[in-house]
Amino acid sequence: MADYTLAITTERTYEETVAAVREQLAEAGFGVLTEIDLKSTLKTKLDVDVAPQVILGACRPQLAHQALQAEPSIAALLPCNVVVRSVGEKATVVEAFDPAMMTSFVAEPSEALRAVSEDARARLLTALSAVAAGPIASTQNGGQA
């Protein structure tokens, strides 16, 4: 995996993993603003076949707002892309852009930007860990048991 991503591999089908990623992003407070089905797009545009892969544009509005207040140009890095990619019948990779990398693009990152990137990173790591752990037990009260 790349140095600029957070990644896990799970022994789930692609479809199960996409559903689990969506659920865990929601639990971590992220909404999915955009979705790009790369398999379908590349087939339509280039007539090539690739393994199932989707890019989910995840955003936590509170963190996005804080990041924009600290560094307006950081908008070019928003939303946080989370990729789900099939690598076998029951093997799927999930990768997310590591929010800690945001500070590497700014000459002198503020403490506010560092705090946002650390919060976003922790939330994404929690979501990825939950996906890697296996089946998700949904609850009706926002994940509180």
Side-chain angles (χ1 to χ4, degrees):
M1 303 302 150
D3 290 341
Y4 51 87
T5 64
L6 307 173
I8 57 112
T9 301
T10 183
E11 293 182 8
R12 294 183 186 193
T13 67
Y14 171 78
E15 293 80 12
E16 291 170 332
T17 305
V18 170
V21 167
R22 287 180 179 283
E23 184 171 342
Q24 288 307 309
L25 286 173
E27 287 289 324
F30 290 92
V32 175
L33 301 178
T34 61
E35 180 175 332
I36 301 169
D37 180 341
L38 286 175
K39 179 178 177 60
S40 174
T41 299
L42 294 177
K43 184 65 176 175
T44 300
K45 301 291 184 183
L46 302 176
D47 195 28
V48 296
D49 293 309
V50 297
Q53 185 170 183
V54 65
I55 302 172
L56 303 173
C59 179
R60 179 165 169 81
Q62 300 88 335
L63 292 178
H65 183 249
Q66 291 169 7
L68 292 170
Q69 287 182 313
E71 180 63 44
S73 295
I74 213 73
L77 299 176
L78 300 175
C80 180
N81 285 329
V82 179
V83 177
V84 182
R85 178 177 59 251
S86 176
V87 292
E89 195 172 305
K90 283 203 80 170
T92 307
V93 169
V94 181
E95 284 186 286
F97 178 75
D98 185 347
M101 295 302 297
M102 286 192 311
T103 60
S104 70
F105 293 106
V106 178
E108 294 182 31
S110 67
E111 285 307 311
L113 184 60
R114 286 185 198 283
V116 168
S117 70
E118 289 169 10
D119 186 349
R121 187 174 203 274
R123 289 172 184 278
L124 286 171
L125 284 171
T126 297
L128 292 177
S129 294
V131 171
I136 309 278
S138 296
T139 61
Q140 294 295 338
N141 57 354
Q144 304 298 314

